[in-house]
């Protein structure tokens, strides 16, 4: 079974919820995830463009949508808030989703909102998406600007609460500032290797090694523009090359999946970060195709034990260690 550390499904749930629909996960996502042997993961609250202009309003809309969706799909999906919740859902044959926060633009400088989001159920957070905000700077912001003093306090609060701390969208300056401020495991839920594809959202070899040193994990990202610079080379085979390099640099215990599937996002949202007609890796068009990654891993020599670690056991360890 596979743990996907980064999914935007709550964005799609919110879109359908605001159109008056219900039981949305079952209608639009469940069968695809089941076919892909996805047992669960982190579903993020994201201030998706063009709704990022009012980030707190959008965050509250998404929280409302989740609250309405949770009882509708409770027989097939558990909204997990602890390691025990996750394991109970697995034992019962249900999928599970931890609520994540992909960026904290919505809070401005009000760190008390992190407590509110935690009480709602959030167990993961990154400081930014691609933008600059009062906490830190994302990948598309000023490369010289790092964490602010408020951002450093946010790092401490996130870790004190027992939330998974994510660096995925930070620029390099903010990445290193956060690593200096953090204590304990730090993850990148959905990033690849910059040495293999020179994108700002991918991580350098030194960054990968440093995340492993903290005890953290990097999740392999299926977004095609992070796989290879040439569109025809954005294949499952070349994606798994990122996985191989991560394992060589970080060790088998520090790599997982964070696929970031986006084929279900609306056009305005998708065009805000994708420059190609399709956002997917060839052979990994959506979550149902995840078995193709497993087969490629076997082909290049990963053992069954190694595949189990990468596919779910490493993320289970982080959840057990970090989430209180």
């Amino acid at each position: 079974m596979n743990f996907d550390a980064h999914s935007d499904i709550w964005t799609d749930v919110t879109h359908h919820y605001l159109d008056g629909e219900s039981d949305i996960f079952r209608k639009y996502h469940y069968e695809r995830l089941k076919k892909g042997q996805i047992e669960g993961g982190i579903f993020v609250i994201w201030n998706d463009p063009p709704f990022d202009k009012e980030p707190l309003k959008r965050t509250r809309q998404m929280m409302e949508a989740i609250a309405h969706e949770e009882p509708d799909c409770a027989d097939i999906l558990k909204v997990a808030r602890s390691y025990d919740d996750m394991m109970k859902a697995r034992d019962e044959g249900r999928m599970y989703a931890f609520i994540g926060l992909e960026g904290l633009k919505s809070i401005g400088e009000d760190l008390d909102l992190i407590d509110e989001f935690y009480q709602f159920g959030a167990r993961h957070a990154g400081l930014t998406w691609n933008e600059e905000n009062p906490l830190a700077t994302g990948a598309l912001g000023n490369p010289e600007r790092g964490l602010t003093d408020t951002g450093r306090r946010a790092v401490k609060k996130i870790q004190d609460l027992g939330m998974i701390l994510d660096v995925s969208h930070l620029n390099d300056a903010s990445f290193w500032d956060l690593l200096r401020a953090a204590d304990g495991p730090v993850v990148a839920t959905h990033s690849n290797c910059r040495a293999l594809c020179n994108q700002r959202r991918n991580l350098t070899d030194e960054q990968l090694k440093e995340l492993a040193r903290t005890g953290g994990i990097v999740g392999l990202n299926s977004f095609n523009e992070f796989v290879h610079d040439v569109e025809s080379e954005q294949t499952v085979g070349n994606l798994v090359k990122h996985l191989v390099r991560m394992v060589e640099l970080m060790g088998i215990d520090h790599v997982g999946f964070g696929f970031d599937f986006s084929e279900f996002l609306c056009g305005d949202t998708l065009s805000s970060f994708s420059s190609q007609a399709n956002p997917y890796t060839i052979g990994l068009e959506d979550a149902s195709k995840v078995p193709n990654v497993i087969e490629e891993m076997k082909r290049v020599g990963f053992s069954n034990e190694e595949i189990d670690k990468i596919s779910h056991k490493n993320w289970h360890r982080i959840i057990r260690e970090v989430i209180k």
Side-chain angles (χ1 to χ4, degrees), residues 162-176:
M163 301 171 73
I164 295 170
L165 179 63
D166 190 354
V167 298
S168 291
H169 277 273
L170 295 179
N171 70 354
D172 289 353
S174 293
F175 175 98
W176 292 112

Side-chain angles (χ1 to χ4, degrees), residues 53-74:
K53 295 178 180 62
E54 297 181 278
L56 185 56
K57 177 182 177 181
R58 185 59 170 179
T59 296
R60 295 202 190 285
Q61 280 182 336
M62 296 188 77
M63 291 165 68
E64 180 180 327
I66 294 166
H68 279 80
E69 182 69 9
E70 186 172 357
D72 287 346
C73 63

